[in-house]
Amino acid sequence: EDQVTQSPEALRLQEGESSSLNCSYTVSGLRGLFWYRQDPGKGPEFLFTLYSAGEEKEKERLKATLTKKESFLHITAPKPEDSATYLCAPTDDKVIFGPGTSLSVIP
Amino acid sequence: EAQVTQNPRYLITVTGKKLTVTCSQNMNHEYMSWYRQDPGLGLRQIYYSMNVEVTDKGDVPEGYKVSRKEKRNFPLILESPSPNQTSLYFCASSPYPVRGEDGYTFGSGTRLTVV
């Protein structure tokens, strides 16, 4: 059965304190992996698509990487406006959303 | 502006009273989908549509109906709502169902409470 987990469930960082979020998945025939950001009460907002192991993508303070079993979202020198829930979503013939990591960045 | 529009944003209703949540996209996307989001359970797919007149069940379709008569619209229908359908609902669209550089575009959500 396809599964996706994310850790930690919640993360609290001081402004400027870099860290990483983990997405672990068991999906046969991975066709891609999405990362989304979701603000409270709003719809998820697309960040990245990764297609193959070894691939990396960056956007401002965020960098996403992909291995055969995991994806990481690295956050460098975060700011309070980076506070949100981050969702990963591996795909085979359907998109499977993880439960998310709730990130709080404290000024 | 490219967007997915859901209405209403908030809805409180009583058990058994039929309701429809509308979803419209202006990006000419082929694929549209409905999700519900509940604490601790994440986003779960209710129904999806690959194109006009083509719909299929997702992971949690019980108690819901959909239709896709036009490419831009994908309404979600609850024929007889029950309290366990209280949730946050999202409509999403994409050019493709599982790949694409732009991922899914989500609506702003509909918070439904069934009492």
Side-chain angles (χ1 to χ4, degrees):
Chain A
E1 182 182 341
D2 294 338
Q3 285 192 349
V4 54
T5 59
Q6 291 188 245
S7 61
E9 188 174 318
L11 181 62
R12 190 179 170 95
L13 298 173
Q14 289 293 130
E15 184 172 2
E17 179 186 3
S18 301
S19 188
S20 296
L21 282 54
N22 174 265
C23 170
S24 296
Y25 59 89
T26 52
V27 171
S28 57
L30 184 75
R31 298 173 66 180
L33 185 141
F34 297 129
W35 278 98
Y36 287 85
R37 168 196 171 119
Q38 185 175 21
D39 294 303
K42 296 188 177 182
E45 176 186 345
F46 173 76
L47 292 173
F48 307 106
T49 306
L50 302 167
Y51 291 107
S52 57
E55 188 175 1
E56 298 183 353
K57 286 193 176 173
E58 292 188 58
K59 181 178 181 178
E60 296 182 358
R61 295 174 293 280
L62 301 176
K63 183 170 78 173
T65 62
L66 182 65
T67 71
K68 288 188 177 180
K69 296 292 184 185
E70 295 177 303
S71 180
F72 293 92
L73 185 65
H74 307 278
I75 303 174
T76 302
K79 298 182 177 182
E81 53 261 42
D82 295 321
S83 297
T85 296
Y86 291 86
L87 306 172
C88 73
T91 78
D92 46 18
D93 60 350
K94 62 182 292 186
V95 178
I96 307 160
F97 282 90
T101 293
S102 175
L103 173 66
S104 298
V105 182
I106 312 303
Chain B
E1 180 188 353
Q3 60 185 357
V4 175
T5 303
Q6 289 179 233
N7 281 296
R9 285 275 283 146
Y10 301 92
L11 179 59
I12 301 174
T13 191
V14 296
T15 299
K17 185 177 181 180
K18 180 180 179 180
L19 66 92
T20 299
V21 183
T22 64
C23 174
S24 180
Q25 51 96 0
N26 62 0
M27 296 163 283
N28 201 37
H29 285 168
E30 307 261 323
Y31 181 82
M32 297 185 75
S33 182
W34 276 104
Y35 289 87
R36 62 178 289 174
Q37 188 173 39
D38 302 288
L41 296 176
L43 281 162
R44 294 180 292 167
Q45 190 178 51
I46 302 170
Y47 269 94
Y48 64 94
S49 170
M50 302 286 273
N51 212 326
V52 176
E53 302 290 3
V54 180
T55 63
D56 209 346
K57 296 178 181 178
D59 297 316
V60 288
E62 294 78 20
Y64 304 95
K65 285 177 58 177
V66 293
S67 68
R68 186 95 181 269
K69 297 178 181 176
E70 306 166 280
K71 197 171 188 178
R72 62 184 293 124
N73 295 324
F74 189 44
L76 179 69
I77 303 155
L78 284 71
E79 295 269 3
S80 183
S82 62
N84 65 10
Q85 292 178 299
T86 293
S87 186
L88 181 58
Y89 291 86
F90 290 104
C91 179
S93 76
S94 172
Y96 314 102
V98 292
R99 284 180 69 91
E101 283 300 315
D102 297 327
Y104 288 2
T105 301
F106 281 84
S108 298
T110 296
R111 185 167 293 280
L112 172 66
T113 302
V114 183
V115 298

